[in-house]
């Protein structure tokens, strides 16, 4: 978990709380004690983001009508796979996630069993070859539509994709995972998310907008880097 998610979890069960009690709670976690300085920095960030309100010095509450941050739960399978990859490529930035993120946001739910390993361009081929050789599973490198339709749709697969620089990311349990802004942009054009086309992608956007806080500026900046800003703007505006 991140310090931010720990604070928001504490705030959700404590309508009004003090910085001292919050710090004592997080610092007393034997599994992962949090330093007081880290708590102070993240509290300041959350206040600037209007997620928390500082009532008075050292006393906070959740901002009225604020939405929670999107949190991506990391599965055991993903944790184990990430450990294997990082042992082989300790210095490469690799974002790990899977298709389990989609069903709670969809209406018609197809069979989805995909793992996405988003690797930097220079590491993509090496990561793909390592996974293909070590797992002997259905592993694909940047599949096009024909490959996706013929060999991936409806199967269990690992898809190695390019990690675009300045992608919105977060670290959860030591694993680099996507922020919701990256997910919304990626599904707006990448072949491996074809199962979300038509009305389903609007449903995903609508559910995300209603349920979670979205940094629209960050989302559109990333969309521009992926040359799909107009598409994302349309999806967003038509889903409000």
């Amino acid at each position: 978990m991140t310090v931010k998610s720990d604070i928001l979890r504490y705030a959700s069960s404590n309508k009004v709380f003090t910085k001292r009690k919050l710090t004592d709670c997080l610092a007393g976690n034997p599994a992962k004690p949090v330093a007081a300085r880290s708590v102070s920095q993240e509290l300041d960030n959350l206040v600037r983001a209007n997620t928390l309100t500082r009532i008075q010095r050292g006393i906070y509450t959740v901002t009225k009508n604020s939405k929670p941050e999107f949190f991506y739960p990391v599965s055991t399978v993903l944790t184990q796979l990430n450990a294997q990859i990082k042992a082989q490529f300790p210095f490469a930035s690799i974002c790990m996630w899977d298709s389990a993120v989609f069903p709670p946001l969809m209406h018609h739910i197809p069979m989805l069993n995909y793992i996405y390993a988003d690797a930097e361009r220079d590491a993509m081929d090496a990561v793909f070859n390592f996974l293909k050789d070590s797992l002997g599973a259905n592993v694909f490198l940047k599949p096009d539509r024909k490959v996706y339709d013929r060999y991936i749709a409806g199967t269990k697969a690992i898809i190695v994709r390019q990690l675009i620089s300045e992608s919105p990311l977060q670290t959860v349990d030591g694993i680099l995972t996507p922020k919701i802004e990256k997910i919304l942009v990626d599904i707006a054009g990448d072949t491996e998310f074809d199962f979300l086309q038509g009305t389903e992608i609007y449903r995903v956007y609508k559910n995300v907008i209603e349920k979670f806080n979205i940094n629209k500026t960050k989302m559109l900046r990333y969309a521009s880097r992926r040359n799909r800003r107009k598409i994302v703007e349309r999806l967003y505006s038509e889903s409000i």
Side-chain angles (χ1 to χ4, degrees), residues 120-138:
E120 296 169 304
R121 180 186 299 175
D122 293 342
M124 284 176 59
D125 287 345
V127 170
F128 167 73
N129 290 328
F130 167 71
L131 291 174
K132 193 73 174 176
D133 293 342
S134 60
L135 300 179
N138 284 343

Side-chain angles (χ1 to χ4, degrees), residues 10 17-26 43 58-60:
Y10 182 89
F17 62 92
T18 66
K19 178 180 175 181
R20 176 177 294 180
K21 286 188 176 181
L22 169 66
T23 303
D24 289 346
C25 177
L26 299 186
L43 281 172
I59 301 177
Y60 300 82

Side-chain angles (χ1 to χ4, degrees), residues 16-128:
V16 177
F17 62 92
T18 66
K19 178 180 175 181
R20 176 177 294 180
K21 286 188 176 181
L22 169 66
T23 303
D24 289 346
C25 177
L26 299 186
N29 182 355
K32 187 180 178 184
V34 179
R37 181 178 180 181
S38 297
V39 174
S40 296
Q41 290 176 339
E42 199 54 61
L43 281 172
D44 289 342
N45 291 338
L46 289 168
V47 169
R48 282 195 293 270
N50 200 37
T51 303
L52 295 179
T53 297
R54 185 183 289 110
I55 300 175
Q56 55 182 281
R57 184 180 179 86
I59 301 177
Y60 300 82
T61 187
V62 175
T63 303
K64 188 176 181 181
N65 296 327
S66 67
K67 298 175 183 176
E69 296 292 320
F70 169 80
F71 174 74
Y72 181 76
V74 176
S75 67
T76 301
V77 172
L78 211 57
T79 300
Q80 294 172 344
L81 184 60
N82 180 74
Q84 294 178 48
I85 296 175
K86 294 304 290 183
Q88 189 73 19
F89 308 99
F91 303 111
S93 294
I94 301 172
C95 172
M96 301 293 297
W97 52 305
D98 59 33
S99 55
V101 69
F102 297 114
L105 304 171
M106 298 174 66
H107 177 57
H108 297 102
I109 303 173
M111 186 182 79
L112 301 173
N113 200 349
Y114 308 138
I115 290 177
Y116 309 111
D118 296 359
E120 296 169 304
R121 180 186 299 175
D122 293 342
M124 284 176 59
D125 287 345
V127 170
F128 167 73

